[in-house]
């Protein structure tokens, strides 16, 4: 996050003595990315953050390919993923490559018995259903329907849900996730043409410091394995921190769509970028206003990127038979476009209420068995007249 933020107490000068009331020292930790080159935060713990008591079992949670080489357009019924009590067990990866894993989750219970840390990937959670609080060692972020929650790799967190009716789309990125560079100036500030700006971000708040010793289970994801590590102190023992590396939220409802006289291409909807894929938000907006405009998109070949659309809400004007929570996959190598009749039917329409999240990956995606279990199987033929 190219925005300085701080919470709690810290010394005036970094790397200097910062004493507790009893005269003992706090424990400083630099939490950085990309070696010492990326964004970082400096945090101050009550206890050493290094006190590992035990390393327990390890689970292999790496996704397995049921279809490694895919050329079919697919339609996956995302809401057919069954709810499960536990947050981590509820996460079902459907599509993946070496850069990104796309995962659906319908967790019912809050995380209380353990903490979680993904050291492999940044996690971008999109909240389709549910409200609650993302609790991290750097503070809390309340979330609701339509929120993206960006959790940088290595951030220890817990999900607290208000009810059992939760639906998440989780994008795990093996490359750092940023807001698009072209939206930002040389200093990192979002420019006037950006569809969102700093005021729209939900920054961590309510830094709660836990001074507790005992046994604290942190499930650590590394190299596709889930290691069960027991620490001697509560991981949320930070009294203060500052810097640029922290989780934040952004509501899709705060994305200001860019429209034009004729059809605007997907990059105008871009919300996040990485070295290996982009994330776009398709939001309610006015349609093109050229008198001869065709609001539905033209047929297109993303010749070298797989396109995943997660349909959140509203009407999806260029598609037939699409419902909430459905996911279309239009693979690289073949063209796709509006369904028969929708191209013509879009003419003269003034606006759309569609809400969708798109992930375009630069490498082909593989499908897991879970994806095949919710695949309608017929979608690739749905353009036949
Ligand atoms: Fe497309």
């Amino acid at each position: 996050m190219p925005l300085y933020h701080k919470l709690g107490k810290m010394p005036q000068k970094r790397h200097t003595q910062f004493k507790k009331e009893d005269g003992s020292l706090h424990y400083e930790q630099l939490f950085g990315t990309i070696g010492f080159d990326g964004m970082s935060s400096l945090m101050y713990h009550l206890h050493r953050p290094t006190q590992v008591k035990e390393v327990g079992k390890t689970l292999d949670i790496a996704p397995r390919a049921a279809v490694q080489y895919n050329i079919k357009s697919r339609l996956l019924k995302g809401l057919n993923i069954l709810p499960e009590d536990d947050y981590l067990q509820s996460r079902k990866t459907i599509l993946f490559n070496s850069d990104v894993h796309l995962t659906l989750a319908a967790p019912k219970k809050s995380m209380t018995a353990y903490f979680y840390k993904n050291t492999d990937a940044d996690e971008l959670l999109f909240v389709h259903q549910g409200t609650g609080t993302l609790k991290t060692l750097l503070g809390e972020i309340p979330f609701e329907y339509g929120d993206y929650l960006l959790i940088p790799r290595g951030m220890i967190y817990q999900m607290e849900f208000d009810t059992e009716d939760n639906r998440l789309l989780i994008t795990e990125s093996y490359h750092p996730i940023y807001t698009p560079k072209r939206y930002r100036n040389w200093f990192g500030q979002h420019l006037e043409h950006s569809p969102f700006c700093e005021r729209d971000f939900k920054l961590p708040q309510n830094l709660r410091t836990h001074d507790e010793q005992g046994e604290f289970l942190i499930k650590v994801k590394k190299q596709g394995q889930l290691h069960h590590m027991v620490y001697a102190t509560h991981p949320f023992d930070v009294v203060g921190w500052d810097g640029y590396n922290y989780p934040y939220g952004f509501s899709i409802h705060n994305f200001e769509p860019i429209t034009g006289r004729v059809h605007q291409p997907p990059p105008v909807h871009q919300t996040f970028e990485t070295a290996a894929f982009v994330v776009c938000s398709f939001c309610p907006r006015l349609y093109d206003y050229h008198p001869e405009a065709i609001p539905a998109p033209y047929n297109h070949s993303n010749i070298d990127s797989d396109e995943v659309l997660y349909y959140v809400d509203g009407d999806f004007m260029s598609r037939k038979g699409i419902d909430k929570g459905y996911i279309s996959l239009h693979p690289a190598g073949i063209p796709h476009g509006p369904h028969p009749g929708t191209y013509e039917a879009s003419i003269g329409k003034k606006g759309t209420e569609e809400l969708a999240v798109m992930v375009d990956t630069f490498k082909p995606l593989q499908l897991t068995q879970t994806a095949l279990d919710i695949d309608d199987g017929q979608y690739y033929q749905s353009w036949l007249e």
Side-chain angles (χ1 to χ4, degrees), residues 30-210:
L30 177 71
F31 188 171
T33 57
I34 320 178
F36 287 84
D37 239 21
M39 285 185 268
S40 66
S41 289
L42 262 180
M43 56 185 86
Y44 296 88
H45 296 270
L46 288 175
H47 303 280
R48 285 185 182 83
T50 48
Q51 297 185 64
V52 177
K53 248 183 164 170
E54 208 179 306
V55 179
K57 64 181 175 182
T58 296
L59 301 175
D60 184 357
I61 56 169
R64 301 270 177 268
V67 176
Q68 191 176 359
Y69 306 109
N70 178 57
I71 193 69
K72 275 187 188 173
S73 294
R74 308 269 182 171
L75 186 64
L76 313 177
K77 300 181 177 180
L79 298 187
N80 285 5
I81 296 288
L82 295 176
E84 288 198 39
D85 284 346
D86 179 67
Y87 171 70
L88 289 182
Q89 284 181 9
S90 77
R91 292 165 53 128
K92 309 290 182 196
T93 299
I94 50 170
L95 304 167
F96 70 98
N97 60 27
S98 57
D99 299 317
V100 58
H101 296 184
L102 295 171
T103 297
L104 298 172
K108 291 167 74 175
K109 305 283 190 208
S110 298
M111 286 165 64
T112 53
Y114 64 89
F115 302 83
Y116 174 57
K117 174 162 92 166
N118 187 341
T119 71
D120 282 338
D122 288 14
E123 292 192 355
L124 182 67
L125 278 52
F126 178 77
V127 181
H128 191 177
Q129 270 176 228
T131 59
T133 305
L134 168 65
K135 299 163 80 172
T136 80
L137 79 169
L138 298 184
E140 300 177 347
I141 303 172
F143 62 81
E144 60 188 349
Y145 163 59
D147 280 348
Y148 291 103
L149 296 169
L150 179 50
I151 306 169
R153 64 203 58 201
M155 204 60 67
I156 302 171
Y157 76 87
Q158 286 184 317
M159 292 294 283
E160 187 175 85
F161 298 106
D162 296 334
T163 69
E164 295 200 339
D165 198 12
N166 307 295
R167 292 277 171 183
L168 304 170
L169 168 68
I170 301 170
T171 304
E172 273 182 79
S173 174
Y174 285 67
H175 305 266
I177 301 176
Y178 304 123
T179 58
K181 178 68 192 80
R182 69 178 191 280
Y183 294 168
R184 288 183 272 113
N185 67 16
W186 189 80
F187 302 95
Q189 183 180 13
H190 286 84
L191 291 160
E192 285 294 312
H193 72 273
S194 171
F196 49 82
C197 75
E198 283 73 10
R199 288 186 204 176
D200 296 317
F201 298 126
K202 299 182 179 186
L203 305 188
Q205 51 183 268
N206 299 332
L207 181 66
R208 294 182 207 277
T209 308
H210 294 259

Side-chain angles (χ1 to χ4, degrees), residues 266 297-298 300 302 307 309 319 330 336-337 358 360:
Y298 30 78
H300 51 285
N302 322 39
E307 175 201 277
L309 261 165
R319 303 259 165 270
H330 301 133
H336 64 275
M358 185 173 83
D360 268 11

Side-chain angles (χ1 to χ4, degrees), residues 315-328:
D315 245 5
F316 305 103
M317 49 100 177
S318 62
R319 303 259 165 270
K320 284 180 174 172
I322 296 288
D323 215 340
K324 288 180 192 180
Y326 280 26
I327 299 155
S328 61

